[in-house]
Amino acid sequence: MNEQTRLAAHAQLNQPAPWWRGAAIYQVYPRSFRDANGDGIGDLAGVTQGLDHIAALGVDAIWLSPFFTSPMKDFGYDVADYCAVDPIFGTLEHFDALIAAAHARGLKVMIDQVYAHTSDQHAWFAESRTSRDNPKADWYVWADAKPDGSPPSNWQSVFGGPAWTWDARRGQYYMHNFLSSQPQLNCHLPAVQQALLDVARFWLDRGVDGFRIDALNFAMHDPLLRDNPPAPDDGKPRTRPFDFQLHTYNQSHPDIVRFIERIRALTDRYGATFTLAEVGGANALAEMQQFTAGNTRLNSAYGFDFLYAATLTPALVVKALADWPATEGTGWPSWAFENHDAPRALSRWCTPDQREVFARMKALLLASLRGNVILYQGEELGLTQVEIPYDQLQDPEAIANWPLTLSRDGARTPLPWTAQDEHGGFTTGQPWLPLGEENLARAIDRQQQDPASLLALTRRLLQLRRDNPALREGDCTAEAVSDAVLVLRRRKDLQSIACVFNLSASPAPWPDQLAPSGAVLAAVNGAEPGHLPPFGALLIGENL
């Protein structure tokens, strides 16, 4: 190594990590965060009003779920205008005010980008469907019927039924991986990619600090429209035709990576911008690592390791972390236990009488993981899944597949701000979904003044993560000591922290390989060195 190369490598090692590496990110679902105008639906002005609560948590950034113009058939993930705010959420001026207020509090702002599909009410699709030779004729995935009139392939929609809908105006089928009102963009087309990059540039110019890119592995299909092969029976319940196929050809085309590199080249021009991919499916891990490999692709990705897990076990955590080793070119992971699409974790992972202690252990575990951590609004309060009666369901997927799927509405209920108000201080009107009596009792104002509350604990743990480089960005080893006990070791430079968790409802023996000594940095549920009560957990500073 010559002197110039050595100095460059030394400079690289001594550069501070980008703001997003090891960050804590708070997901805001605007419909349910806070309603400023009393119409029962949360809005951007309500998010701005609630920023002090978010900033007090000690997170680094917020991620806003879609607020763009939309017919709301999939609550904003069906975009009719990428560069406008839907009137139910406010105006561009409200968005600009939110950005300014967040930045004033030291919060970065990420927004959702939906690049795989639009609404059927988008102007692009309205033009595309008029004829086979208009300027946007190929902006969506159109195909002729088979000779017998059936769809071009056997592909199935995530939300049920074929992934093809007949359009009489063009005399062709159009593709949709989700709702029939969410036509698939033809992201193979350079003009479509450029239009989406222009959308990203529009929001970057308004001051956003990053993007969470929705369903990115659905962005490109097999142009030959080959049939998907059947999926082998793995014993898991099959609730939709989608579950009967391997999704070999309707998604995950190799050329997605080239589009990703164009996205990264754009965001790099704006400095420390963060890009996060959502990736699901049987090949999620390989695709996440492909999408984040090296320095020319996305910064991070997250999958569904924890979001749909029925139980939380040491083996699950060990495998998830082992899949993201700290090796050259592997990428940087992000983790979420909850989000707007998955049932609340406390309703999946423990019984009702265990929720208070389990929530504390879960908060400590999330704060201990290597990678970025994402908190979904209300997770800091210990909110649980609300049972929504069929006649009050809003979620199109749940309505279509009732009663075989668990409604996403139950995890999207409004955030309770004040326990004494009828609608929890979320709105002065009728909320779009019920809050749930159990969650109302966990309101922010009730926990705000209680130093023993889950909210107070979450604040302390996020501050601990921020203050300790080993937790925020250090290496990690993970071991499932037993079916109940998990040990993580986080290390950076001369700092080492042992993280010990009893994931069971019974006392567990202290792991033999860990000395029952050292400075306790955090402990929950009565845990102490040498002693692991039910759901006990603690962090211990080790001497190196």
Side-chain angles (χ1 to χ4, degrees), residues 319-336:
K319 182 184 183 309
L321 292 172
D323 285 339
W324 290 90
T327 54
E328 185 83 23
T330 299
W332 182 255
S334 292
W335 307 107

Side-chain angles (χ1 to χ4, degrees), residues 272-437:
T273 307
F274 177 54
T275 48
L276 172 67
E278 179 208 32
V279 183
N283 299 317
L285 177 63
E287 291 182 290
M288 286 190 290
Q289 293 183 344
Q290 182 185 42
F291 293 173
T292 59
N295 296 316
T296 61
R297 299 178 186 175
L298 303 184
N299 300 121
S300 187
Y302 80 92
F304 300 154
D305 301 79
F306 299 108
L307 288 172
Y308 294 102
T311 57
L312 180 66
T313 65
L316 174 66
V317 178
V318 169
K319 182 184 183 309
L321 292 172
D323 285 339
W324 290 90
T327 54
E328 185 83 23
T330 299
W332 182 255
S334 292
W335 307 107
F337 290 164
E338 302 184 6
N339 73 6
H340 63 291
D341 280 336
R344 291 281 187 180
L346 294 182
S347 298
R348 287 182 280 126
W349 288 345
C350 63
T351 60
D353 61 308
Q354 296 168 349
R355 284 173 180 166
E356 182 176 348
V357 290
F358 193 99
R360 294 173 179 277
M361 182 273 296
K362 178 176 74 74
L364 187 55
L365 175 60
L366 187 63
S368 302
L369 297 179
R370 175 184 174 270
N372 300 326
V373 296
I374 304 171
L375 285 86
Y376 177 48
Q377 64 182 43
E379 193 170 357
E380 74 278 17
L381 305 175
L383 298 193
T384 56
Q385 188 81 0
V386 177
E387 195 70 38
I388 308 294
Y390 179 79
D391 61 357
Q392 295 183 43
L393 284 177
Q394 306 289 329
D395 176 19
E397 193 272 341
I399 294 169
N401 295 297
W402 181 268
L404 296 178
T405 58
L406 188 60
S407 164
R408 296 179 299 177
D409 289 336
R412 297 176 176 181
T413 54
L415 194 65
W417 292 83
T418 51
Q420 66 274 17
D421 292 333
E422 180 184 7
H423 301 310
F426 164 72
T427 182
T428 57
Q430 183 66 32
W432 76 288
L433 282 173
L435 277 76
E437 287 301 317

Side-chain angles (χ1 to χ4, degrees), residues 51 96-110 206-209:
L51 285 175
D96 292 340
L98 191 164
I99 286 276
H103 287 169
R105 290 163 174 79
L107 293 170
K108 305 288 188 182
V109 179
M110 300 168 54
R206 296 196 94 90
V208 304
D209 303 288

Side-chain angles (χ1 to χ4, degrees), residues 152-228:
S153 72
N154 70 347
W155 301 347
Q156 297 293 310
S157 160
V158 173
F159 286 171
W164 297 97
T165 291
W166 177 256
D167 186 86
R169 275 160 282 195
R170 282 191 46 146
Q172 287 183 303
Y173 283 94
Y174 68 85
M175 179 190 167
H176 51 89
N177 276 307
F178 298 92
L179 295 174
S180 61
S181 56
Q182 294 171 301
Q184 180 77 19
L185 281 165
N186 181 12
C187 287
H188 288 287
L189 201 66
V192 171
Q193 292 186 20
Q194 188 57 54
L196 294 171
L197 292 172
D198 290 343
V199 169
R201 186 179 295 106
F202 174 87
W203 293 107
L204 289 165
D205 287 341
R206 296 196 94 90
V208 304
D209 303 288
F211 299 122
R212 179 263 191 187
I213 306 176
D214 182 69
L216 183 55
N217 55 333
F218 282 90
M220 292 185 195
H221 65 294
D222 170 34
L224 298 178
L225 308 184
R226 286 171 284 186
D227 282 349
N228 281 331

